[in-house]
Amino acid sequence: MTNTASSVWGECLSFIEDNIKPQAYKTWFEPIKPVKLSGEVLTIQVPSKFFYEWLEEHYIKLLRVALVKQLGDDAKLIYDVRMENAYSSNNPHTVKIPSANRNPLSHQGVTVPIELNKRELKNPFIIPGIQKVKIESQLNPNYNFDSFIEGDSNRLARSAGMAVANKPGGTSFNPLLIYGGVGLGKTHISHAIGVQIKDKYPDKTVLYISSEKFTQQYIDSVKGNTRNDFIHFYQMIDVLIIDDVQFLSGKTGTQDVFFHIFNHLHQNGKQVILTSDKAPVDMQDIEQRLLSRFKWGLSAELQAPDYETRVSILENKLYRDGVEMPDEIVEYIAKHIKSNVRELEGVLISMIAQASFNRKEFTLSLTKQIVDKFVKNTKREVSIDYIQKIVSNYFELDVNTLQSKTRKRHIVQARQLAMYFAKRMTKASLASIGSQIGNRDHATVLHACKTVDNLTETDKQFRKYVDDITKKLTF
Ligand code: ADP
Ligand code: MG
C-alpha cells in the first residue's frame, strides 16, 4: 500500500493519541488536516498561527517521533496556516474592512486618544475633571491569578491568560476566548488577566465590561445620537475584556458595532479577551463574520475541576478567610459538589455562617445537611446496566437487541452511545465495558467513543441524543 498524506497522518495521530491527555489531543490534534505528502515531507493544515506556535512549543518532540516512525529519519513537516471562514482569502491579520462598511470616524493612523483629549466625550467610564482621559478599568482586584487555583481543568485557559497578561496584544492569543459552564471561573480569570496587565503596564487602558452592559451602552448611544462617541471610546482601549459574549446573540446592531471595534483593535495590536458559556461552534445567532473572528485566536475551555482541584480551592478559600475546618469535612464537600466552583464556595459560606450564628462546631452532619441542599437529589450510582437500560428505552429497543450482533445502523449507534456513556460515567475499563455490552473487545469500545465524539461535533440530531440521554442519566 502506498502512503498518502492521510494514511501517514492517521498513523501519527494514533501514536500521538496514546501519548498525551485526551483533552490535549482533542484541542491540538483533531483540528489538524493532512494536506499533502511528497516523499518524506508531510504538509498539515493548522487553523491559525497561534496553533502552529503552540504545536512547535509543546508538541514538536512528539510530532518528530511520530513522523520519523512513519517516514524515516528525513521526515519533514510543513505547516499550512489557514484560517477557516477568513474574511478574505489571504492572511486575515491584514484583513481590510470594505470601504462601504467602514466607519467614517475610525480613520486609520490617527491615534484616537490624542483626538479624544480635544473632544468632549460622553461615556460612562471617564472620570470627569481629570485632564488626561482616564478610564476606570472596572476590575475586581480580588479576582487575580494568585487566587485562581490551577488544575487540569483550567490549565490551558490559565496559562494562555497569563501569556496574554504578560504580553497583551503581543501573542497569537488574540482574541483569547475563554468558555465553559456557569461558575467555572470565566469571570474570575478574565479579571485576573486585566489585573495583571494593570500591574505590569499601568499605562495601558484596560476595560472589563459585561456583554449586557456593552449592549445597553450601545442602545443608549443610538438613542442619544452618540454612536460615534461610543465607537471611538472603545477603539482607544488597549485591552478590552468582554464577559459573556453569548448575550450578544440575536442582537445584530450590537454585534455589528462590536465587529468594527474588534477589527480596529485587532489591527492595531490591541488585546481582546472574551468569555462565553459555549464554544464558538455552538454559539447561536451570532453572525458568521464575528464567529470567525472569535476563532482567530485561542479558544480555551474551562472544565469542571477534578477532586484535587476542588480540595485546593476549598483550602485556599478557608485559608484566605482565616477559617479552620477538619480535613474530612473539606473532603466531604469536595466529593459531593462537583460541577461548579460557585457552589463549592456557597457551601463554605453557608457552613461558616451556620457555625458562627449557632456557635456550632463544623460537624459532618451539619456539612451533610448543607451539602444536601446544594445537590438536591443525591445522585444514584450509575451502573453500566442502568446506562444500557436508559439508552435502550430512549431508542425504544430492548437491552438484548442493543447487545446483539446486528449491524443495523440505529442499533449500532445506540450500542455505541451506551459504550460512550459507560466510559464517561463509570470507572470501568474499556475491556470491562466491552464485555458487559454485548461481549465486545476494548478496541470496539474505543472506536465507539471516538465515533460518538465525532458525530456529536458534526451531527446536530446526534448531539441531541447525547444531550437527552445525559439528562436522563443525571437526573
Ligand atoms: P463564571 O464566570 O464562569 O460563571 P466565576 O468566575 O464567577 O464563574 O466563578 C465563580 C466563583 O468561583 C468565583 O467566586 C471565583 O472566584 C471562583 N472560582 C472559580 N474557579 C476558581 C479557581 N480555579 N480557583 C479559585 N476560585 C475559583
Ligand atoms: Mg461570569
Side-chain angles (χ1 to χ4, degrees), residues 186-187 243-244 342:
K186 300 180 296 292
T187 298
D243 204 358
D244 289 321
R342 193 172 293 140

Side-chain angles (χ1 to χ4, degrees), residues 391-405:
V391 173
S392 303
N393 278 345
Y394 182 78
F395 290 106
E396 297 174 6
L397 305 168
D398 57 47
V399 176
N400 289 334
T401 315
L402 181 97
Q403 294 183 343
S404 72
K405 300 271 179 248

Side-chain angles (χ1 to χ4, degrees), residues 382-395:
V382 186
S383 67
I384 294 181
D385 280 341
Y386 182 69
I387 291 172
Q388 297 191 71
K389 215 174 94 197
I390 294 289
V391 173
S392 303
N393 278 345
Y394 182 78
F395 290 106

Side-chain angles (χ1 to χ4, degrees), residues 258-278:
F258 177 57
F259 179 75
H260 291 295
I261 292 168
F262 178 92
N263 284 328
H264 181 95
L265 295 178
H266 198 270
Q267 279 171 6
N268 288 285
K270 305 303 170 71
Q271 180 70 46
V272 178
I273 296 147
L274 308 167
T275 78
S276 163
D277 67 349
K278 293 183 200 68

Side-chain angles (χ1 to χ4, degrees), residues 40 47 124 147 149 162 177 190 192 204 230 234 250 284 301 315 383 397 415 421:
E40 293 90 24
S147 61
I149 305 298
M162 286 207 151
L177 172 76
S190 63
K204 287 212 188 282
F230 174 86
Y234 276 96
Q284 308 275 326
E301 183 176 8
E315 282 172 346
S383 67
L397 305 168
R415 196 185 305 131
F421 280 105

